[in-house]
Every structure is written in structure tokens, then in C-alpha cells.
Amino acid sequence: MIWKYILMKRYCNLLFITVAMASLTACGKKDQAQAANASARPAAPVVVAVAEQRDVPVQLSAIGNVESYQTVQIRSQVNGQIQSIFFKEGQDVHKGQLLFQLDKKPFQADLEKAQGMLQHDEAQAANSRLQAERYNVLEMQGVASKEQADQVRAQAKADASAVYADKAAVDAAKVQLQYTDIKAPIDARTGALLMNVGNLVKANDTPFLVQLNQVTPIYATFSIPENQLDAVRKFAAGNLKVLAFPKGQNTNPAEGKLTFIDNGVDMQTGTVKLKATFANKDRRLWPGQYVDVVLNLSTRKQAVLVPTKAIQTGQQGQYVYVVKSDKSVEQRKVQIARTLGQDAIVSAGLQPGETVVTDGQLRLTPNSKVDIKRSPGQPAPAQSTTEAANQGSRS
């Protein structure tokens, strides 16, 4: 019985080895058939690009909102009637420039009244002072009693205090008169005029007369996710550059500096508010405008870039088709760090100078032959290092 069991076991092992060898032979023939079919098919027309290597900025992108550097709502500090307006809506004004003038007559009358009271009390105070000096002499001579002298001296002091109060009233009347001239507190641009000549205004009333917005310089506020806060704080000491692209524009951005990081994270959104300051001398940015903001954190040295059109996604992840020296393609798995405009930064799987397919991938399989076409305006692709070496050896 034992020898039958041994023979049966040897037979099973032999059968398993035979089946395995047959499978390997079939797979090899299948691969050879696929390669033969790929080489037998006509070359597929494709567009290619060469992987570049250069320094690229490490950036954060967000949507921002432009805010004026300073905003002032002009209101009257006294009650009165608008007599004159010295600017036009939308005009640039300078600090100290006269904007509105109220009717001065009531305030001029109050000032003259206060000045008249001051002069009256000054005359009375002078007379009281002389009386006090006389009673001092009479008291020393024994003609006037000490009680009479004290009363005269007290009256002199009271009259002097009245003069002091009158001077304060004159100063207050002058201030009220000055408030009839409403001037710009900052260099700014005027908005819509909400009150016209002839309107009566009250002190600190609503609506305000006009709003001033300072647009040079100007702010752009934006938010970033809280998980990126550490990276921003790490590089914030280096005066980080911020680019602002007005909506619909992809070139020639406004350049500014990061000037503010909020002191807390918004618990509802999980974001942190940042603010950048722009000189805005060309007035490209305007309060209330939405902009695409790009924050430059640092520079990635010697990064490998390919057009994003070259990146394909399959079951095994992202890959590209690399054109080899014999004009066949190789499917190469790659790792993408991030995108930069129309390019993708490849962190692994590709070397600078290698040629990748950017259009026509649907016609390709591994080892397919390709016919390289050029899109309009595209220069001829540079030879890869391997291809150049092979051509040099053949010559």
C-alpha cells in the first residue's frame, strides 16, 4: 500500500510540473504574439513633448477679495446746511482738501457773541483787579476792614474766572466754525455723493455725505486651509510674494507682499485669513473685486516637468507613454507632486530629456510604434540622450 501511495504522489507532482511548463510556454507565446502584433500594426500618429528640468516656485492658490487700504465715511460734525461742494463723484482727493462747506453765518454769529462776552468780562475783571489793589492799600492803612478787602479780592478772582470761561467759549465757537469746512482726512478716491447743496445735515447723521476709499496701496484678503498654515508661517519671515490675477486674466499679475496672518482659525470653515498689500500704482485692483491669488512659498530646485496632457490614469495609478529610441512606446508609472499651470511636476518615474506622448494615447499599447507629429507652432522635439547616443554609434 505504501508503494502505491508513493507512486501516486510522484505522478501528481509530475502532472503539476507539466501543466506549469505548458502555462509558461503559453504566456511567453502570448507576450511574443502581442509584441508581434504591436510591431505589425502601423505607427500611430502622436504629439510628443520633452520632459524639462528647471526651478519652479512652490505656491498656494486661493480666491481673494480686494479691499481698500483705508475707508472713511465723511459725516458732518455740526448741524447746518450744505452751501458748497468742491469735488466730483469718483475724483481723487488729497489729505486736507476741502470737500464740503456748510453755511457759516450761524457759527460766525455764535463766535462774535462769545467774543463780545469775553471783552465785557475782561473789562469787568480789569476793574475788579484795580478795586482789589485799592482795598489792599486801604486795609494796610486801617481805613478798610479786612472783611471788605476780602470781598473785593474774591470778586476780582470771580471776574478773572469768568474771563477764562469766556476764552474757552470763544475757542469752542471757533472749532464749531472750522467744522463747517469738511476736509478729506486721507488721500483717497471719492464714491457716490449722497447729499447735495441745500440739504440740511446733522452731526454724525446717517446717511453719510460721501465715502472715501484709499486704493493706493490696496489690500487683497484670502483664506487658506489650516493644514497649510505651518508652511506659510515657516516662510513668512522672508517677505512672501503674492500674485493677484483679476478675473479673466492669466498673465501680467499684480505683485504684492504678504502682510497679515490672522491670529486664529475660523472654526466653521477650518481656514485662516491672510492679507497681502499691493502698491497698485496702475489701479488694476479695485475695492470689492474678486481675484485669483497665488502665494509663493519657496522654490523647488531642478524639478522635472511635463505637460499635464501627458499624464494618464489607469488601474495601477498615473502613467505616461515614453517614446524610446526605436520609435516604440513604453508605459511608465509616474508620481505627480502637483500641477503648475499647464504642466505637471513629476517626482518619480521620469528623467529630464525623455520624450512623452501628449496626444494620441488612445491608439497606443506597450511597444506600439509611433509616428511623431507636430502640432501647429510646436518646435521639433529634442532627441533624448539615449536616442542621440544610438544615432552617434550608428554613424
Side-chain angles (χ1 to χ4, degrees), residues 238-257:
N239 293 326
L240 297 182
K241 181 188 293 186
V242 180
L243 305 178
F245 297 84
K247 287 298 182 180
Q249 301 182 20
N250 298 322
T251 58
N252 191 25
E255 294 188 8
K257 297 290 185 181

Side-chain angles (χ1 to χ4, degrees), residues 64-82:
N65 182 251
V66 180
E67 298 179 359
S68 59
Y69 193 77
Q70 293 185 82
T71 297
V72 179
Q73 295 177 345
I74 302 297
R75 288 183 168 89
S76 175
Q77 294 180 273
V78 293
N79 300 336
Q81 184 181 38
I82 299 177

Side-chain angles (χ1 to χ4, degrees), residues 33 58 236 264 382 385:
V58 178
T385 325

Side-chain angles (χ1 to χ4, degrees), residues 31 66 96 171 261 283 286 353:
D31 292 341
V66 180
D171 290 341
I261 301 176
R283 306 289 182 92
W286 212 246

